[in-house]
Amino acid sequence: MHFAESQHHLVRILTILGYPVLREFKSDHSKRCFFAYAIFTKIISLGTIFFHFCDPILFPHNKATLIFFIWFAESVVNQICMTVLTLNNIIKDNSLRKVSTLLEDLQSTFAIDCSQLRRTSDVVTFFVIILYFFVFIPVVFLSKNAFSVPSLVIKILYTIDGISFTLYEVYLLMLLWSLEKLIIAINFRMIFAFTLGKSQPVVPLLTGHSKVLQCVELINRSFGLFLLLMTLEMLFLLTGNLYCHVFGIWPVVETERAYLTTIKTLIWIGPQLALWLAVIIKCSRFYYLANETALCTRHFDDYSMQNTKVTRQINKFLLKNLHQKKKFSAYGFFDIDNSVIYTVFSSIVTYLVILIQFKQLENDLTNKNGGGNDTSAT
């Protein structure tokens, strides 16, 4: 089972949600219609944000506070990220299919079965949908102590928008996992061939390794923007929600509703944070495994094999390996590795300090205005 086949259910869901992913169009007209549908879904999602923050049930907070602007800005940034991602997929749809075609070729060559990827993506997709629709939405209205049909419709549309971004993270994670399985198979077979003193499989394995790195270049071209948006989204999401809960909910809301609101936020952020961390870890692990391939050549013994062609191929591979890019990139802005996790969390602390200073300034201005009014009244 190839990668595209293993992700059939996930791709179908993402297509319904308006994300062009590995979709084959029968004609240019159907392609244009689908792209128009994708853009239309983003316009609806953007409108949903404004209705969400105007709804007194879903957002009963004061609209003139810093907390309101932070929550609103975080939602708008999230929507901008998804709209840009949709446009990027429309522009790069040929590159997306090239990744799938090259992966299919490599998986056929090295007999890699993606059944495990299918089971994992189906389970994670089912879990995310259940968590958001059947847990998140009920907890939202329990924390509000109020309910209305328009509010429910707005929240469902708002949740669908968040689900689409999360499921796209699942798709990217499965793609990285399939590349990891390929590079592990290549490394294992290369060590096995060198150990047995067989030179015949070495050249095809080195060629396969080069094709895997071609996949990395295509993924950087097709998904680099998503890696960047995903990191920025996580930065805004964690910073905004941490600040709003510490300074906007727990000080003013009764304990039971505060707990429900915190659970609601954890349900919303939890899957996205877990998938983001998994993607970062997979990118770092792939870089380590790709470098490990060059180290596998230390098992090569030219004197025992007596094959100068293989020696030339290995020397050529080692020289080329010095210049080939093996790291995934966030659209060229930075490489994706474990250091990104540290950078994001340190940035969150920095922005929280800045927001706390703004909060103190807001409190000072409020007290000053309140004091002036009392004096006038007196």
Side-chain angles (χ1 to χ4, degrees):
M1 177 181 290
H2 301 303
F3 176 76
E5 185 182 354
S6 70
Q7 302 305 303
H8 177 70
H9 296 138
L10 181 57
V11 168
R12 178 171 291 182
I13 293 172
L14 285 170
T15 302
I16 294 171
L17 294 174
Y19 284 92
V21 184
L22 303 175
R23 181 179 171 84
E24 294 289 345
F25 297 99
K26 297 179 180 179
S27 63
D28 290 338
H29 177 70
S30 60
K31 184 177 181 178
R32 287 193 295 268
C33 288
F34 180 78
F35 288 166
Y37 164 74
I39 295 172
F40 179 69
T41 57
K42 296 305 148 201
I43 293 173
I44 292 177
S45 301
L46 186 60
T48 302
I49 290 175
F50 291 95
F51 283 111
H52 181 273
F53 284 92
C54 292
D55 193 302
I57 293 177
L58 295 175
F59 203 87
H61 303 277
N62 186 356
K63 304 298 187 293
T65 59
L66 178 62
I67 289 174
F68 168 78
F69 288 110
I70 290 173
W71 245 321
F72 183 75
E74 187 272 319
S75 296
V76 171
V77 167
N78 176 52
Q79 185 53 48
I80 290 172
C81 287
M82 287 186 280
T83 304
V84 171
L85 175 61
T86 302
L87 295 174
N88 176 73
N89 288 354
I90 291 173
I91 296 170
K92 301 288 180 65
D93 67 313
N94 290 328
S95 297
L96 291 170
R97 280 194 288 275
K98 285 181 182 178
V99 173
S100 178
T101 303
L102 188 54
L103 265 180
E104 185 175 339
D105 179 47
L106 286 167
Q107 288 162 356
S108 298
T109 303
F110 296 104
I112 303 296
D113 186 17
C114 292
S115 300
Q116 185 182 7
L117 298 182
R118 183 190 65 181
R119 290 192 295 269
T120 304
S121 65
D122 288 348
V123 169
V124 174
T125 301
F126 179 77
F127 173 77
V128 167
I129 292 173
I130 292 295
L131 188 67
Y132 278 122
F133 276 112
F134 298 99
V135 180
F136 174 74
I137 293 177
V139 170
V140 167
F141 287 101
L142 284 173
S143 64
K144 303 299 180 183
N145 291 330
F147 176 82
S148 71
V149 174
S151 300
L152 178 62
V153 172
I154 292 170
K155 199 62 190 178
I156 288 174
L157 292 174
Y158 191 85
T159 305
I160 289 173
D161 205 39
I163 282 178
S164 59
F165 197 83
T166 306
L167 293 183
Y168 204 86
E169 289 179 308
V170 176
Y171 178 80
L172 178 59
L173 180 61
M174 295 300 110
L175 180 59
L176 296 174
W177 193 1
S178 67
L179 282 179
E180 181 187 298
K181 289 169 73 70
L182 273 169
I183 206 74
I184 289 173
I186 290 171
N187 291 350
F188 176 78
R189 295 178 190 187
M190 190 173 292
I191 293 173
F192 189 71
F194 286 144
T195 304
L196 295 181
K198 295 181 179 180
S199 61
Q200 293 84 0
V202 174
V203 175
L205 289 171
L206 295 178
T207 304
H209 183 271
S210 297
K211 287 185 177 181
V212 170
L213 295 187
Q214 287 178 23
C215 278
V216 174
E217 294 178 4
L218 286 171
I219 289 173
N220 285 337
R221 195 183 309 160
S222 306
F223 294 92
L225 182 60
F226 177 65
L227 287 166
L228 175 64
L229 295 176
M230 187 170 60
T231 304
L232 293 176
E233 164 71 8
M234 192 51 55
L235 175 63
F236 277 97
L237 194 65
L238 290 174
T239 304
N241 279 279
L242 278 172
Y243 176 81
C244 291
H245 276 74
V246 173
F247 294 98
I249 293 178
W250 282 95
V252 298
V253 178
E254 58 269 21
T255 305
E256 182 179 352
R257 287 182 59 195
Y259 278 123
L260 286 171
T261 306
T262 303
I263 291 170
K264 174 194 71 175
T265 303
L266 290 174
I267 293 171
W268 182 261
I269 296 178
Q272 296 185 38
L273 178 60
L275 289 167
W276 177 73
L277 291 173
V279 166
I280 300 295
I281 292 169
K282 284 292 181 186
C283 289
S284 297
R285 178 167 167 76
F286 177 85
Y287 176 70
Y288 168 78
L289 292 170
N291 285 328
E292 194 68 25
T293 307
L295 297 177
C296 291
T297 58
R298 68 183 182 271
H299 298 281
F300 173 65
D301 185 359
D302 189 47
Y303 295 103
S304 63
M305 291 184 177
Q306 296 296 323
N307 193 325
T308 56
K309 181 181 178 182
V310 176
T311 305
R312 288 196 301 269
Q313 288 290 337
I314 289 176
N315 289 334
K316 184 179 178 181
F317 163 75
L318 291 174
L319 184 62
K320 188 178 180 181
N321 187 67
L322 294 174
H323 305 286
Q324 278 187 309
K325 186 172 180 62
K326 296 179 282 295
K327 280 191 174 184
F328 293 96
S329 172
Y331 214 61
F333 286 93
F334 52 86
D335 291 330
I336 303 296
D337 52 30
N338 289 332
S339 64
V340 174
I341 300 174
Y342 168 78
T343 303
V344 168
F345 281 99
S346 61
S347 300
I348 289 170
V349 173
T350 302
Y351 288 123
L352 282 175
V353 171
I354 295 171
L355 289 173
I356 290 170
Q357 292 175 342
F358 275 108
K359 179 65 176 176
Q360 291 175 344
L361 179 62
E362 183 183 51
N363 291 338
D364 292 340
L365 290 173
T366 302
N367 293 334
K368 183 178 179 180
N369 293 334
N373 292 337
D374 292 342
T375 305
S376 299
T378 303

